[in-house]
Amino acid sequence: MANFSPALFGYGALLLLLATCLATRTEQVRLGIACAALLALPAAVIHSQVGYALLLLAILVVNGVLAARSWLHDAAIRFSPEEQALRALHLADLGAASVRRLIDQGHWITAKRGEVLIRENHAAPSLFYLAEGRALIQRDGAEVGTLTDGALIGEATVLDGAHATGTVTLTTNARLWFVPAAALRAYLAANPDIAAGLHQGFARALRGKLASANTRIADMPPLS
């Protein structure tokens, strides 16, 4: 203990602030700043730096209160079971309030078997979430894959307006959430923090589809 330096508190606070820079949610940033202030506070007290101690205490209190208020607000938000499934599968990087606002930009519908959601060589009209049901993916008229409960549809092209590489048709009656492409792009442009979390969800969905495609290829019989 004789070699202990109060400066270590300051170094620890700086490292915590560095880690906070990697946070994607506002309440996480506020909590990180509050914890960094708490960690640096003993060094200011030990060195009798009253002004610094009061400033750190103010930072701690303000950010702690804001983080707590954000969590209390999130705790009061309610989701239906199908909304909760959508959140868990594709929107886990967003806070409850952000998820609520994003879901409210779209609509829940019941669609019939045979309905075409996306057409090959056309821009995706909407981003779709297939809560229940099955869909067929075709390219040049040939089947290339299927989609089942929990799949996102259109995430690869909906944000940039690029043409889809396949046609997606429902093969059963289905329960869907969808948000029109133009409305989604406008909303994300005005809310870049939500856009960052949604992009991560899109990336996970695409990785899952790639893994599924690789599995199908591996299971195919060898060419004779």
Side-chain angles (χ1 to χ4, degrees), residues 93-114:
D93 299 293
L94 296 173
S98 295
V99 173
R100 180 73 273 160
R101 292 196 301 271
L102 179 59
I103 290 177
D104 288 345
Q105 304 306 305
H107 312 274
W108 289 94
I109 61 171
T110 299
K112 293 184 177 181
R113 175 184 178 181

Side-chain angles (χ1 to χ4, degrees), residues 14-216:
L14 290 174
L15 287 173
L16 187 54
L17 284 175
L18 179 61
T20 299
C21 292
L22 303 176
T24 58
R25 293 164 55 175
T26 302
E27 61 269 24
Q28 293 173 338
V29 173
R30 288 171 175 163
L31 179 61
I33 293 173
C35 291
L38 178 62
L39 191 57
L41 188 59
V45 173
I46 290 172
H47 289 292
S48 300
Q49 296 175 325
V50 179
Y52 285 126
L54 290 175
L55 179 59
L56 289 169
L57 185 60
I59 293 172
L60 169 62
V61 171
V62 169
N63 283 279
V65 168
L66 289 174
R69 188 171 67 178
S70 178
W71 278 324
L72 288 173
H73 179 262
D74 283 0
I77 295 173
R78 294 292 179 263
F79 297 95
S80 68
E82 57 189 4
E83 289 173 337
Q84 189 57 50
L86 168 58
R87 181 187 180 193
L89 285 170
H90 303 295
L91 306 175
D93 299 293
L94 296 173
S98 295
V99 173
R100 180 73 273 160
R101 292 196 301 271
L102 179 59
I103 290 177
D104 288 345
Q105 304 306 305
H107 312 274
W108 289 94
I109 61 171
T110 299
K112 293 184 177 181
R113 175 184 178 181
E115 185 169 340
V116 176
L117 303 181
I118 295 176
R119 296 185 184 277
E120 186 176 0
N121 298 322
H122 289 74
S126 301
L127 171 69
F128 299 91
Y129 165 68
L130 184 61
E132 295 179 11
R134 298 178 65 87
L136 176 68
I137 307 173
Q138 293 175 298
R139 185 175 301 161
D140 295 327
E143 179 181 341
V144 295
T146 58
L147 298 170
T148 57
D149 299 359
L152 279 182
I153 304 172
E155 75 282 4
T157 60
V158 70
L159 295 184
D160 60 12
H163 287 180
T165 57
T167 295
V168 180
T169 306
L170 293 176
T171 55
T172 65
N173 293 340
R175 179 68 171 165
L176 297 164
W177 172 82
F178 78 96
V179 56
L184 179 61
R185 288 195 290 266
Y187 183 72
L188 295 181
N191 298 272
D193 55 329
I194 294 179
L198 187 59
H199 280 133
Q200 295 184 47
F202 283 2
R204 282 194 299 272
L206 289 170
R207 287 196 297 269
K209 289 178 180 178
L210 180 60
S212 178
N214 288 339
T215 300
R216 287 198 305 273

